[in-house]
Every structure is written in C-alpha cells, then in structure tokens.
Amino acid sequence: MKQNNEENRFERIYKEIRQEICLLHFPPGTILNESKLAKRFKISRTPLRPVLQKLKHEGLVTIKNGVGTIVTGIDMKELKDIYDIRMMLIGTIDNFSTNIIEPIHIKETEKIIKKAKLLFKNKNAIKYAILCNKLEDIILNLISNEPLREITDILYYRVARIWFTFLPNMNWEHVIKIFLKELNEVLIALKKNDIKKLGIVRKKALQNILDDISEFIAKS
C-alpha cells in the first residue's frame, strides 16, 4: 500500500510539473527551483529528483551541474520531425486500439466543444491549451497498446508548448474554428465507434497546426 501511495504521488507531481511546462507557466529557459518545488509539494528534494529525471528523459528539461534543471526549448526542424512522427502514429491508431468507446468519451468531448465555443469571444490561450490537453487525454485513453500510448503521450507534451507559444501571433478566430472543426469530427467518429476515422481526423488536425506554424514563420 505504501509503495502504491509513493507511485501515485510521484505520478501526480510529475504530471503537474509537466502540465505547467506545457502551459508555459515554466517557459523555455526557466530554471526550476528544486527547493521551491519540494516545499510546494511538501516533500524533500530527494523524491523530487526522479520526477525531474523523467522530465529530462522526455526532453522537457535538461539538468546541468552548477546551474540546475532548465526547461528546454526546441528548434523548428525538431518540431516538424516530431509532428511527422505523431501524424504517422495516430494514423495507425485503429490497429492498436481494442479499447471500446464509452459514453464518457462522448460526454467529455461534448464538454470540450461547449467550452471551446466560448473562446470565440473570450480569447484565453491557457483555457485553449487545457482543452487541447483534455482532448489528447481522451484519445490516449482509446489506445490499448501501452508502448504506443506512452510514446504518443511523450511526443504530445514535447511539442504542444511550442505550438502554444505561437498562439498570441495567430488569428484567434481561425485557431478556434479549426479546433472546433476537429472536435466535431472527433465527436462524430466517437458516436459511430469509428477509431480509424478518429485517427484520420487527428492526423489532419496535426497537419493543419504544422501548416499554420510554417506559414507564420515564412511571413515573419
């Protein structure tokens, strides 16, 4: 029981810090203060270090002697390479998913759609990012192949924060319109219990994001 509690605490702390890196509360270049994090989570620095090591393994931070734990950046070539891999993987989701689409998946997607519609008039990049993360959680939950699920999860958080850094310079209505289009198509696929279609929709959405980023950079 004690070991399970330790594992749960590790996972909770890891996901919370990862989420804050993703949402740019800790932007690239930020030095994570171990003492402050340990105090915040009411633990010593010793159990915190495996969390930071896992984040390092996933490419979200780097650890330098004499400096500390630093949130990493990412170059555009790596961004494109990762998006290419993500599109390839999501295109095979129907081959690696035996998980049954449940009513909860549909219900949660409908909730995301409802909240996303509110963002047309109320621009809020953080709320948008959180909704993107929730959609990713729904998709991950449908992948029964554990290695694929783990890789998909790592790659998402590796580059999602980079996409979010571009948001302030993007056409907000266009971003939300494209997001809602994806959400509605995902909802249709879920209701039809069509995992293959879900993969196609997601792959197309990833390509749209990559195209928008590339177009913005070309114009800059």
Side-chain angles (χ1 to χ4, degrees):
M1 181 64 73
K2 184 177 180 181
Q3 183 178 354
N4 289 337
N5 289 337
E6 288 296 322
E7 290 175 355
N8 290 338
R9 181 173 66 170
F10 173 90
E11 193 68 13
R12 177 180 61 82
I13 294 172
Y14 154 71
K15 286 186 175 181
E16 193 165 331
I17 296 176
R18 184 181 68 168
Q19 175 93 321
E20 294 190 2
I21 291 174
C22 177
L23 297 179
L24 302 174
H25 294 317
F26 296 134
T30 299
I31 298 177
L32 300 181
N33 188 303
E34 288 188 21
S35 297
K36 288 184 178 179
L37 287 173
K39 183 177 180 180
R40 168 182 162 186
F41 292 111
K42 299 179 181 179
I43 58 175
S44 68
R45 292 171 66 177
T46 300
L48 178 64
R49 283 169 185 155
V51 173
L52 299 180
Q53 285 293 335
K54 185 173 183 179
L55 293 170
K56 176 187 176 183
H57 174 70
E58 295 178 359
L60 294 177
V61 304
T62 183
I63 301 175
K64 294 184 178 180
N65 292 332
V67 179
T69 303
I70 308 167
V71 178
T72 59
I74 191 170
D75 60 40
M76 286 308 301
K77 182 181 184 307
E78 188 174 0
L79 176 73
K80 183 182 183 306
D81 288 346
I82 291 177
Y83 263 89
D84 286 343
I85 294 172
R86 290 182 66 202
M87 285 187 282
M88 180 184 69
L89 291 177
I90 199 63
T92 66
I93 186 175
D94 58 310
N95 295 322
F96 297 94
S97 178
T98 56
N99 287 358
I100 298 173
I101 295 174
E102 302 284 354
I104 186 63
H105 298 129
I106 295 172
K107 184 177 180 180
E108 289 301 314
T109 303
E110 289 173 338
K111 285 182 180 179
I112 295 174
I113 291 173
K114 185 176 180 180
K115 291 179 179 179
K117 288 179 179 178
L118 299 176
L119 294 177
F120 268 121
K121 294 183 178 179
N122 300 293
K123 182 177 179 180
N124 190 311
I126 296 297
K127 288 184 178 181
Y128 166 81
I130 290 173
L131 293 180
C132 288
N133 292 351
K134 288 183 176 180
L135 174 60
E136 183 67 14
D137 286 342
I138 292 172
I139 293 171
L140 284 174
N141 191 253
L142 294 172
I143 300 174
S144 57
N145 182 286
E146 187 173 344
L148 177 59
R149 186 170 62 249
E150 181 179 351
I151 293 169
T152 301
D153 190 37
I154 290 172
L155 292 179
Y156 173 80
Y157 279 95
R158 183 82 173 265
V159 293
R161 62 200 170 104
I162 308 302
W163 161 235
F164 298 151
T165 63
F166 283 93
L167 286 179
N169 302 303
M170 295 295 201
N171 181 312
W172 182 252
E173 288 192 2
H174 169 74
V175 169
I176 301 304
K177 182 179 179 181
I178 294 299
F179 186 44
L180 277 170
K181 185 175 187 297
E182 177 190 7
L183 286 168
N184 282 306
E185 290 180 353
V186 165
L187 182 61
I188 291 172
L190 291 175
K191 287 182 175 180
K192 291 183 177 180
N193 198 35
D194 192 341
I195 293 291
K196 184 174 183 178
K197 178 63 176 179
L198 177 64
I200 293 171
V201 170
R202 187 63 168 163
K203 183 177 181 179
K204 183 180 177 181
L206 293 176
Q207 184 65 62
N208 286 337
I209 290 175
L210 188 58
D211 290 345
D212 283 345
I213 292 175
S214 299
E215 183 179 349
F216 172 78
I217 292 174
K219 291 180 178 178
S220 300

